[in-house]
Amino acid sequence: DFIKAYGKSHDPSVPYHRDPFAVDSSVGKTDALYKAHGYHTKVPHLAIVPSILHYTEPGDIVLDGFSGSGMTGVAAQFCGTAPAKYRSELEQDWKTTGHSPPKWGPRRVVLNDLGPAATFISAGYNLPFDVDTFDSTAQAILKTVDDELGWMYETLHTDGKTKGRVNFTVWSEVFSCSDCARDVVFVDAALDPVTKRIAEEIRCPHCGCEVSKETMTLQMESFVDPSTQEIAKRPRRRPVLIEYRVGKSRYEKRPTSQI
């Protein structure tokens, strides 16, 4: 039924021939579409697009019988929606390697996989939806969450007046010095602020004794487990660094009583 609705009849008078497509394909895994959902055998759609462009024409049907997360479907649709910059760069690469220019346009795809998770992810990636409605709804949800919880991610800038948005907070384990038994905040004692590396030699800030994780005692604290309502123990930690932004600029500071 799908082929009847979307396929096109084969014309026997038009022979099909494609030379082997042997090109290097090096594509990173930082594209937003690739990162939208994880899957253990996932291939970036931009690594699939050139092969589809070479072996098929717009409107052709592509079958992926072991489709995994459905990136073949994303690639086939991308052949018709690729931005002008991508098209220009690919056409230039093909020209340099002696390939004929591709025929841009979407291909129809049949995706199949035995895994329920795979078909669910594939459907999410490939079924059509209203982009504008999704965007406006998502923005409304984000605004609602920000109005309710945004204050939890605010911190006072070093000028004492401007509020910044926290990107992350670094917490450090607290140890007891093996010599003087006083608190040693590991990050404060071990992290080189310039190189951002852990120092090979660590000295207790109180007595100056040379120490290490192996010679010190990790401090523990008791708390009530919210799931079991039982008393449990966990390593004692202390916030030591806040990384935040004001506008487009990023800053670091030590936590204060005003956060």
Side-chain angles (χ1 to χ4, degrees), residues 2 24 149 174 214 221 224:
F2 181 88
D24 292 332
L149 304 174
V174 180
E214 289 71 27
E221 62 182 10
V224 178

Coordinates of all heavy atoms in Angstrom, one line a residue, residues 2 24 149 174 214 221 224:
F2 N 1.9 1.2 0.8 CA 2.8 2.4 0.8 C 3.4 2.6 -0.5 O 3.5 3.8 -1.0 CB 3.9 2.1 1.9 CG 4.9 3.3 2.0 CD1 4.7 4.3 2.9 CD2 6.1 3.3 1.3 CE1 5.5 5.4 3.0 CE2 7.0 4.4 1.4 CZ 6.7 5.4 2.3
D24 N 35.5 8.7 1.2 CA 35.7 8.8 2.6 C 34.5 9.5 3.2 O 34.1 10.6 2.7 CB 37.0 9.5 3.0 CG 38.2 8.6 2.6 OD1 38.1 7.4 2.5 OD2 39.3 9.2 2.4
L149 N 10.8 27.9 38.4 CA 12.0 27.3 39.0 C 13.3 28.1 38.6 O 14.4 27.7 39.1 CB 12.2 25.9 38.6 CG 11.0 25.0 38.9 CD1 11.3 23.6 38.3 CD2 10.8 24.8 40.4
V174 N 35.0 15.9 51.0 CA 35.7 16.4 52.1 C 36.4 15.2 52.8 O 35.7 14.2 53.1 CB 34.8 17.2 53.1 CG1 35.6 17.7 54.2 CG2 34.1 18.3 52.3
E214 N 44.5 8.3 49.5 CA 44.8 7.0 50.1 C 45.1 7.2 51.6 O 44.7 6.3 52.4 CB 45.9 6.3 49.4 CG 45.6 5.7 48.0 CD 45.4 6.8 47.0 OE1 46.0 7.9 47.2 OE2 44.7 6.6 46.0
E221 N 28.4 11.4 55.9 CA 27.3 12.1 56.6 C 26.0 11.2 56.5 O 25.8 10.5 55.6 CB 27.0 13.5 56.1 CG 26.5 13.5 54.6 CD 26.3 14.9 54.1 OE1 26.7 15.9 54.8 OE2 25.7 15.1 53.0
V224 N 18.3 10.8 55.6 CA 17.1 10.0 55.5 C 16.8 9.7 54.1 O 16.6 10.7 53.3 CB 15.9 10.6 56.2 CG1 14.7 9.7 56.1 CG2 16.2 10.9 57.7

